[in-house]
Amino acid sequence: MTRNMGRTDRGARLAVATLLLVLVFGLGVPGGGLLGWLAVIVAAIMAVTAFAGHCPLYRVFGLRTCGLNQ
């Protein structure tokens, strides 16, 4: 599994994941239930792909946000 995400992309994903978790657990998402769980799942996926540096959808679409030598 090669990296296909750059530093900025990974940082943005971690920031969005953190924001989603704060909204769910800190402030409580309006509507709760399904919307809350969906936000947690999206946050988890974003965090895992950020730490791994690899996004499977980028590979499908042939995208890279990192340099070629990373």
Side-chain angles (χ1 to χ4, degrees), residues 9-55:
D9 190 3
R10 293 170 67 194
R13 284 176 185 251
L14 283 176
V16 170
T18 303
L19 178 66
L20 285 172
L21 292 176
V22 167
L23 286 173
V24 171
F25 295 113
L27 304 175
V29 174
L34 181 62
L35 187 58
W37 279 108
L38 184 61
V40 169
I41 291 168
V42 169
I45 291 170
M46 293 187 88
V48 167
T49 57
F51 283 120
H54 178 81
C55 178

